[in-house]
Amino acid sequence: MAGAVFGMLLLFVFINFGSLPIKSEVSHLDGEQTFSTSKVSTEEVHQNQVPDTSYHHHRETFQDEERADPAELWTSPESRSQQYETPLVESQVEEGGQSEAPATRNGLAESGQPPKVNDRFQEELVIRPLLSGDVYSSFQFRTSWDTDLLNKQKKVSHFRLFPKSLGQVISKFSIRELHISFTQGFWRTQQWGPPFLPAPPGVELWVWFEHTVQDVDTSWKELTSVLSGIFCASLNFIDSTNTIQPSASFKPLGVANVTDQRFLRYAVLPREVVCTENLTPWKKLLPCESKAGLAVLLKSEKLFHSSFHSQAVHIQPICQDLQCKKTSWELRQTLSIVFDLHATGQSKREWSLFKMFSRTLTEPCPLASTSKVYVDITETPKGDDMIEVAPAVTLQMHAVVLGDRRKYMVYDLMTPEPYGSLRSLNILLKWKLQDSEEMLPPILHAERYVGGYGLQTGEIHTLIYNNHPFRAFPILLMESVPWYLRLYIHTLSVISKGRENKPSYIHYRPSKDRQYPHLLEMLVQLPPNSITKVTVQFERALLKWTEYPPDPNHGFYVSSSVLSAQVPSAVALDANHTTEGPLFTNLFPIMEESSYFMRVYTEPLLVNLPTPDFSMPYNVICLTCTVVAVGYGSLYNLLTRTFQVEEPSAGLAKRIANVIRRLRGVPPL
Amino acid sequence: METVQEADVSLSQLNESPSGSLVIYVIPETSGLLPDGINVYMGIYRTAILRTSLHKEAKMEELLSVIGPKILRIIQTVTFTNNDIKASMSDRVPTGKFTKESLADSMRAFKSSPGNYEITFSLLNPDPKSHDLHWDIEEAVDKYIQPFLDKLSGVANFSVDSQILYYAILGVTPQSLPHVINPVEARLGKKVYIRFILQSCALFFCSTFLIILTAPLYIKDQNGATVQSNAFHSPRWGGIMVYNVNEKYSDNNRFPVQVNIDTVRVMEVFLAQLRLLLGVQLAYVPDDFLMESPANQGLTDWELDRFLWLRTLENIATATTTQTSLAQLLDEIGNIVIHDKIASQVYNAVIAIQAAIAELEAGNLGFAFQSSKEAILASEKAFFDPSLLHLLYFPDDQKFAIYIPLFLPMSSALWEMWCQ
């Protein structure tokens, strides 16, 4: 009995070891930063600290299709695509067929009075060879519609080019602006330079509601559910714990009469995986779907075999004319892909449309008013030609993109010229340089990682690089940290060149457990040629056991922090905008000659939280029950066992004899 | 009065009859108001004109005995017969026999629910490269569909919208045309989220499609005759009309050819289909009846009444069966928790059902319909309350799995002892 009790004790000790709540072998957190590297991206231009809508008016002036004022093209990317048939570029080019483009579209003009069409569709593809040997392709599809979707008196319900699903969502929820992006992979700014369309990994959604909306939170909740239905994404995971209202980082891009952040909602799901099921509904929003035009190239088997994939939808109101008395609605669908030299290109520095997309182009979308392909043929920093393009076309243009002067070869798909005798366009790019050339470091980029050790506290480090040799400029840094990382805001330090750099504006909203996240926005001046380090310590919270995801040891994501900046341009931006044009150059207007707007997303973080051993309760139950059963069994046995003298058992012969006797009905022996 | 139509108009002005009622005017045999062979005229309002022979000196009883059967016939036409009732409850009450037509009618229409109807007109253009299609749908809807829906506005909420889908290829051969719904539906992809928007109330979609084909396609009926409208419809889903572009365009015509769609022709068909989808049934009319066409409104007053009668019955039947199902469910699964909220919905539904029946008996059609609508709303809310789901699945095998680690070792020890 003593032995049994001792055994029980031993077992209980063992149980206690087995039920340690925290796993000790959690990997070192700093290792997580290798998960993704730095990312710099360019997006919208805003003024940084002061909510100012002046530029809206600026940009609004360029929405008029008829107005081909080259001076203003540069500021308004949306208008650019519309206007591109008219402006400068064509004037430089003498070639036949150009004039047919509008005719093809308006072929109906011949048969009597053409019904008034108030919506337009444009498509565009930019191919940019990267110095690393990879290829960056960026699609933009733009649908604009001269109507007021928010009109309460007369509901808009008859759709032509604009997708009905999105139009109904906008009227239903009174949305002023909607921006959603789905991104797989991370944009490597250091190797690839800044992108045309920056986006953080995962899903990013930000929406400006109309100021008539009474209950913004409910609308937001319903809207995310509806959008998750439209785009087949897990947007329903957006709730108050990951929604923020940035005070200055995200200003409306279109015509805006609201700049009150109460009507803004912003959320990122860094964990969301983007795949075919998100691409298919995105393609369905295009009027030609993927049946004609540039969209035939969008085949998922190739698109997702790439190192970076980002698709987005931007909806915003824009001005119809200079006076901006009326607004149109613009839907801009963008898709960017980077094909990897080694994974997709078999390490050969030769690319073609067919190799990238396994399709070639044969026709534009018949509903499009413009349909163009741009190939970046800019020389390397040393002045050599970087690539050779075939078939070569005479149409070329220059544009200042993200503070850099670029040269493009333009294929106008509305004309028969690019298709050649084969009636199919397969653009070939061949590198002249065989070795990767070092690219100039991007002027602004950032990286972020988690420091510290153990599972109790840690530190978020953000490094912001200003590589401009002599210009200092301010950036707006926005961090959104989930509540389970409790920021110690008193430990916040901003250090540039070894000295403290006091932010001139700080907006901080502390988190509330299980309700909303931390939001930190700071305006920091970056000294020239410097690295600014922003550090803040945090404590990891213990979650309730039901709050852990199914794979808790994977870690918890913290969404990318966002840098918005007005970056000084290396090339003077042409205030007269005499040479630039198309859609891709910038989503956002230019405020001044000497600087351009850039948005940079850092890496998302993956942080380990103290994680209980979830098999513990089961183990405890099993072991306890075994011990109880064995202990009880032996104890009971000991207490109730009695000893009796047993007669020796009968031999085999006797038993057989007894069986036979029983059969015979005779009493046994 | 020159014509019977004018008589109808002036008589209806004379006497504002409430919803659910019918005024029958009797005219002498000698009157020339009605054409030969026609004894009863049904106007577009709530009036009927009956031509019959009467003796001036006849007594009241005699008069009634002559007119009575005739009036009964009219009433049967404008209200409903037993068959109609059976058919409208065919989903709920599986027994009973009904005529083929009334059953078909009831299967065609959406089942009653006090929901919102979203009517979508979609124009499918399979080849935008060669055809540039235009339809003035906005005007057409205002002109033809809206008056009809305005008439039905008391029944449910309707919203109408339209879209154009390009490169929508049917993907079916003419023989398998009935299967066209699937590829078309794939292009819509709208149900998921719109249903979400209007979570609490049921929503139906009447999708009507106009398909444009370059190569002519004609729809024939079982006998092989070409269907005049070149359209067909799919029960409880919507209708499809094939619009052939007949234009002979010469070779020098540049593509895309502009085509303006004749909306009058299209809307005629869509209106008829809409009537079927919403369940406005065609009354069975004896030969000597003359019906006035409802003109632009698509629906006469007495047809609306007839529709409401049937709908009220159907609503009551649905609400009752929903309540019964809920009760059955509770009997079968004992551990469902019924919150006070659900209980009050159940009470409301029962009260509303009783009220509806009482109003029906009193002949107040409008009130009866409103009560039946309330009944169905409350009963559906109670039945589909999400809290009912929580305890629906707590099976015994899970309990077994939880306790087995305790009982298995213990029982093995006990079993050992028992053996000894």
Side-chain angles (χ1 to χ4, degrees):
Chain A
M1 177 165 173
V5 171
F6 183 59
M8 270 171 77
L9 281 176
L10 259 184
L11 275 166
F12 274 117
V13 172
F14 177 55
I15 288 162
N16 282 339
F17 274 117
S19 60
L20 273 181
I22 296 166
K23 287 195 84 173
S24 54
E25 68 277 28
V26 182
S27 60
H28 195 261
L29 290 163
D30 286 5
E32 303 299 352
Q33 64 161 311
T34 53
F35 166 73
S36 43
T37 40
S38 70
K39 155 153 187 168
V40 179
S41 30
T42 352
E43 210 175 308
E44 6 185 321
V45 181
H46 307 145
Q47 275 197 337
N48 288 336
Q49 63 269 64
V50 195
D52 182 353
T53 50
S54 61
Y55 71 82
H56 301 295
H57 301 293
H58 192 198
R59 101 198 296 241
E60 282 145 16
T61 50
F62 317 118
Q63 298 312 323
D64 186 2
E65 200 171 5
E66 276 69 53
R67 267 196 96 82
D69 186 355
E72 281 154 348
L73 277 176
W74 173 231
T75 8
S76 161
E78 301 79 17
S79 59
R80 215 160 285 135
S81 59
Q82 292 179 344
Q83 295 171 344
Y84 190 55
E85 346 176 358
T86 15
L88 34 127
V89 184
E90 261 94 317
S91 64
Q92 303 169 344
V93 183
E94 302 86 39
E95 54 184 343
Q98 193 72 22
S99 58
E100 283 180 14
T104 326
R105 157 145 177 76
N106 298 325
L108 49 103
E110 290 178 303
S111 37
Q113 315 89 357
K116 207 171 146 268
V117 172
N118 58 2
D119 47 2
R120 291 163 300 279
F121 176 66
Q122 293 158 295
E123 52 181 12
E124 180 186 289
L125 164 65
V126 191
I127 301 172
R128 177 159 155 194
L130 301 168
L131 280 171
S132 57
D134 304 338
V135 175
Y136 173 39
S137 307
S138 170
F139 291 85
Q140 280 212 32
F141 301 92
R142 176 180 183 271
T143 311
S144 56
W145 189 16
D146 303 338
T147 186
D148 187 7
L149 288 171
L150 298 175
N151 196 336
K152 292 280 174 223
Q153 277 85 44
K154 198 171 181 323
K155 238 184 88 197
V156 175
S157 49
H158 302 289
F159 296 86
R160 202 178 84 97
L161 294 177
F162 204 91
K164 175 165 156 271
S165 51
L166 287 180
Q168 284 182 332
V169 166
I170 288 171
S171 343
K172 163 86 190 162
F173 294 105
S174 299
I175 291 168
R176 196 75 206 166
E177 268 189 31
L178 186 151
H179 303 267
I180 184 167
S181 72
F182 301 84
T183 308
Q184 185 72 32
F186 186 74
W187 182 269
R188 292 162 218 287
T189 316
Q190 303 239 42
Q191 294 162 37
W192 298 339
F196 303 132
L197 311 152
V203 175
E204 183 195 42
L205 172 67
W206 56 286
V207 175
W208 276 95
F209 289 93
E210 191 69 355
H211 59 275
T212 50
V213 177
Q214 297 291 324
D215 189 351
V216 181
D217 287 315
T218 316
S219 297
W220 169 250
K221 186 72 207 145
E222 283 177 17
L223 173 70
T224 51
S225 311
V226 168
L227 288 177
S228 57
I230 295 180
F231 292 107
C232 298
S234 324
L235 296 173
N236 49 322
F237 285 114
I238 293 177
D239 54 14
S240 68
T241 61
N242 48 22
T243 302
I244 50 170
Q245 300 171 37
S247 68
S249 292
F250 289 87
K251 288 292 159 200
L253 298 181
V255 185
N257 49 10
V258 234
T259 46
D260 186 343
Q261 76 212 49
R262 281 179 301 146
F263 299 103
L264 170 66
R265 291 293 180 277
Y266 174 93
V268 175
L269 296 175
R271 216 185 163 163
E272 181 74 14
V273 177
V274 180
C275 202
T276 325
E277 76 267 21
N278 307 113
L279 180 70
T280 313
W282 184 89
K283 282 199 286 195
K284 271 190 188 170
L285 301 173
L286 297 170
C288 283
E289 288 206 7
S290 51
K291 305 271 175 31
L294 292 173
V296 292
L297 301 177
L298 303 174
K299 293 289 166 197
S300 49
E301 75 267 17
K302 282 290 188 181
L303 289 193
F304 291 101
H305 192 225
S306 59
S307 34
F308 176 80
H309 170 99
S310 172
Q311 63 187 61
V313 170
H314 304 273
I315 305 174
Q316 60 202 29
I318 53 172
C319 280
Q320 272 183 26
D321 49 28
L322 273 172
Q323 283 76 38
C324 202
K325 282 187 186 133
K326 279 180 167 177
T327 55
S328 317
W329 280 83
E330 181 196 71
L331 163 69
R332 204 186 256 257
Q333 288 177 255
T334 64
L335 191 141
S336 311
I337 328 131
V338 175
F339 287 107
D340 189 84
L341 169 67
H342 303 289
T344 323
Q346 289 106 35
S347 306
K348 270 194 238 161
R349 285 163 194 270
E350 275 181 35
W351 291 94
S352 67
L353 283 188
F354 190 77
K355 192 172 168 185
M356 288 188 274
F357 302 104
S358 71
R359 294 287 185 287
T360 57
L361 291 169
T362 52
E363 53 171 6
C365 170
L367 306 160
S369 52
T370 61
S371 178
K372 292 191 180 180
V373 180
Y374 298 88
V375 180
D376 192 327
I377 49 167
T378 317
E379 295 88 3
T380 58
K382 286 178 187 161
D384 310 321
D385 266 354
M386 192 176 140
I387 52 163
E388 206 178 292
V389 185
V393 286
T394 44
L395 191 58
Q396 289 189 359
M397 62 162 289
H398 294 270
V400 176
V401 186
L402 302 165
D404 199 4
R405 194 175 288 283
R406 317 289 305 183
K407 198 161 109 190
Y408 293 94
M409 198 174 266
V410 186
Y411 297 83
D412 188 345
L413 300 184
M414 298 303 234
T415 65
E417 192 210 353
Y419 302 112
S421 54
L422 292 170
R423 307 197 61 76
S424 118
L425 174 62
N426 184 20
I427 300 170
L428 299 165
L429 311 176
K430 199 173 171 187
W431 263 247
K432 287 187 167 174
L433 306 167
Q434 278 310 312
D435 304 315
S436 303
E437 195 175 317
E438 273 303 301
M439 66 168 277
L440 296 173
I443 288 181
L444 172 68
H445 74 104
E447 50 192 52
R448 192 161 70 139
Y449 56 91
V450 175
Y453 54 86
L455 282 175
Q456 197 185 356
T457 55
E459 260 184 338
I460 297 177
H461 298 271
T462 311
L463 299 179
I464 307 162
Y465 295 81
N466 175 6
N467 289 327
H468 201 284
F470 52 84
R471 284 279 299 274
F473 58 87
I475 57 126
L476 195 59
L477 173 69
M478 188 189 90
E479 296 252 18
S480 161
V481 180
W483 63 266
Y484 40 78
L485 301 186
R486 298 196 175 108
L487 289 186
Y488 293 155
I489 201 70
H490 68 278
T491 62
L492 176 73
S493 76
V494 184
I495 294 166
S496 310
K497 289 184 163 173
R499 260 180 297 161
E500 198 186 338
N501 185 346
K502 205 166 181 306
S504 50
Y505 166 81
I506 293 186
H507 171 78
Y508 177 64
R509 190 196 189 200
S511 72
K512 196 166 176 197
D513 280 6
R514 295 177 181 85
Q515 289 189 18
Y516 41 81
H518 303 268
L519 168 65
L520 175 63
E521 281 181 288
M522 289 189 292
L523 186 71
V524 183
Q525 181 81 12
L526 301 182
N529 201 7
S530 68
I531 303 173
T532 304
K533 188 168 183 178
V534 180
T535 320
V536 64
Q537 289 181 11
F538 63 86
E539 185 193 66
R540 289 156 220 249
L542 269 174
L543 300 185
K544 291 178 184 164
W545 70 277
T546 46
E547 285 168 345
Y548 286 92
D551 54 346
N553 293 311
H554 177 78
F556 290 74
Y557 284 90
V558 178
S559 58
S560 309
S561 49
V562 188
L563 274 71
S564 317
Q566 201 69 35
V567 180
S569 172
V571 188
L573 298 177
D574 208 338
N576 291 325
H577 316 297
T578 46
T579 47
E580 283 83 28
L583 275 181
F584 65 91
T585 47
N586 204 327
L587 256 173
F588 312 100
I590 299 295
M591 301 289 302
E592 44 189 305
E593 285 182 30
S594 58
S595 61
Y596 59 95
F597 183 81
M598 215 171 140
R599 182 158 287 162
V600 176
Y601 292 94
T602 65
E603 304 88 335
L605 298 176
L606 188 59
V607 181
N608 270 314
L609 291 190
T611 310
D613 172 12
F614 283 102
S615 61
M616 183 265 280
Y618 185 78
N619 295 342
V620 170
I621 290 174
C622 284
L623 286 166
T624 321
C625 293
T626 314
V627 168
V628 167
V630 170
Y632 174 78
S634 15
L635 192 66
Y636 185 81
N637 204 358
L638 277 176
L639 290 175
T640 56
R641 183 179 289 171
T642 53
F643 294 94
Q644 283 179 342
V645 182
E646 199 190 351
E647 288 185 12
S649 64
L652 183 69
K654 195 179 175 187
R655 268 190 275 167
I656 293 170
N658 272 345
V659 171
I660 296 165
R661 288 173 76 93
R662 200 184 297 151
L663 287 174
R664 283 169 59 208
V666 188
L669 287 172
Chain B
M1 279 179 286
E2 295 285 310
T3 61
V4 68
Q5 282 84 3
E6 283 172 25
D8 181 31
V9 173
S10 45
L11 282 176
S12 70
Q13 282 165 353
L14 192 76
N15 196 344
E16 275 291 322
S17 47
S19 160
S21 68
L22 185 81
V23 184
I24 301 171
Y25 295 92
V26 183
I27 56 171
E29 189 81 64
T30 50
S31 165
L33 207 57
L34 295 179
D36 287 343
I38 298 296
N39 288 325
V40 178
Y41 168 81
M42 305 290 312
I44 60 171
Y45 305 101
R46 294 184 179 93
T47 48
I49 296 172
L50 170 67
R51 182 162 67 179
T52 185
S53 53
L54 291 171
H55 300 289
K56 276 179 187 161
E57 299 86 26
K59 282 181 185 163
M60 201 60 182
E61 293 85 46
E62 286 174 33
L63 273 180
L64 283 179
S65 67
V66 174
I67 301 174
K70 293 181 178 171
I71 287 178
L72 212 59
R73 272 177 69 213
I74 298 174
I75 288 170
Q76 275 183 354
T77 311
V78 300
T79 57
F80 44 85
T81 57
N82 280 343
N83 280 335
D84 288 328
I85 298 175
K86 280 180 193 158
S88 64
M89 296 184 184
S90 59
D91 267 11
R92 287 97 195 167
V93 192
T95 51
K97 285 182 184 161
F98 16 82
T99 62
K100 214 178 153 192
E101 293 79 44
S102 54
L103 181 61
D105 269 344
S106 84
M107 280 164 68
R108 229 175 252 148
F110 289 107
K111 277 298 146 193
S112 76
S113 187
N116 296 301
Y117 289 82
E118 179 171 303
I119 301 164
T120 303
F121 295 105
S122 305
L123 171 67
L124 308 190
N125 183 355
D127 187 10
K129 226 174 137 187
S130 33
H131 290 103
D132 192 355
L133 305 174
H134 291 276
W135 63 346
D136 195 354
I137 181 73
E138 208 162 341
E139 197 199 319
V141 165
D142 284 350
K143 239 173 162 170
Y144 306 105
I145 304 293
Q146 209 54 52
F148 174 67
L149 296 181
D150 286 346
K151 257 205 138 159
L152 284 173
S153 56
V155 181
N157 296 325
F158 295 93
S159 71
V160 184
D161 44 47
S162 80
Q163 60 180 347
I164 303 181
L165 299 176
Y166 299 95
Y167 285 105
I169 293 155
L170 297 184
V172 289
T173 58
Q175 286 75 34
S176 61
L177 206 56
H179 306 296
V180 77
I181 294 167
N182 294 341
V184 167
E185 188 79 358
R187 290 288 305 263
L188 296 177
K190 57 179 183 173
K191 295 201 171 176
V192 189
Y193 57 90
I194 294 184
R195 185 153 281 168
F196 206 97
I197 295 178
L198 308 154
Q199 278 163 332
S200 54
C201 37
L203 184 70
F204 291 104
F205 299 92
C206 316
S207 310
T208 312
F209 290 93
L210 183 62
I211 304 170
I212 309 291
L213 289 179
T214 334
L217 172 75
Y218 296 103
I219 297 169
K220 295 184 174 176
D221 60 14
Q222 299 104 314
N223 308 327
T226 310
V227 176
Q228 191 80 44
S229 59
N230 216 14
F232 60 98
H233 85 273
S234 177
R236 299 187 196 181
W237 180 79
I240 289 177
M241 178 184 179
V242 180
Y243 190 98
N244 293 315
V245 180
N246 300 322
E247 249 176 85
K248 298 262 187 301
Y249 31 82
S250 52
D251 289 339
N252 60 10
N253 220 337
R254 293 205 30 197
F255 287 102
V257 177
Q258 190 202 333
V259 180
N260 274 317
I261 289 163
D262 178 10
T263 42
V264 180
R265 201 179 114 199
V266 174
M267 283 302 149
E268 269 174 7
V269 176
F270 284 174
L271 198 58
Q273 286 181 340
L274 210 54
R275 273 177 64 119
L276 290 174
L277 286 169
L278 294 177
V280 184
Q281 297 168 13
L282 290 176
Y284 166 72
V285 185
D287 292 338
D288 59 341
F289 276 44
L290 178 70
M291 319 280 274
E292 188 56 50
S293 138
N296 249 3
Q297 295 192 321
L299 195 66
T300 60
D301 278 359
W302 64 266
E303 271 180 321
L304 178 67
D305 286 352
R306 185 166 182 274
F307 174 68
L308 287 181
W309 286 117
L310 280 174
R311 265 294 145 98
T312 311
L313 283 178
E314 226 178 88
N315 284 350
I316 293 171
T318 313
T320 320
T321 37
T322 313
Q323 298 284 39
T324 320
S325 312
L326 185 60
Q328 273 176 357
L329 189 73
L330 288 181
D331 282 344
E332 279 166 26
I333 306 167
N335 51 10
I336 290 183
V337 178
I338 299 289
H339 293 294
D340 287 351
K341 206 178 80 193
I342 305 175
S344 71
Q345 295 287 5
V346 172
Y347 286 127
N348 287 346
V350 173
I351 292 167
I353 291 171
Q354 285 165 345
I357 292 171
E359 296 287 359
L360 268 186
E361 279 168 355
N364 299 329
L365 179 57
F367 292 117
F369 181 74
Q370 285 308 326
S371 301
S372 75
K373 226 167 123 174
E374 279 163 29
I376 202 168
L377 261 178
S379 64
E380 301 278 308
K381 258 189 198 157
F383 191 77
F384 291 109
D385 196 280
S387 71
L388 286 182
L389 278 175
H390 290 174
L391 285 172
L392 213 54
Y393 189 74
F394 194 71
D396 290 339
D397 51 347
Q398 276 191 9
K399 293 174 196 161
F400 190 67
I402 290 167
Y403 291 118
I404 199 114
L406 177 65
F407 290 129
L408 201 65
M410 196 176 260
S411 63
S412 71
L414 290 173
W415 191 72
E416 202 177 290
M417 258 178 334
W418 181 75
C419 281
Q420 282 172 10

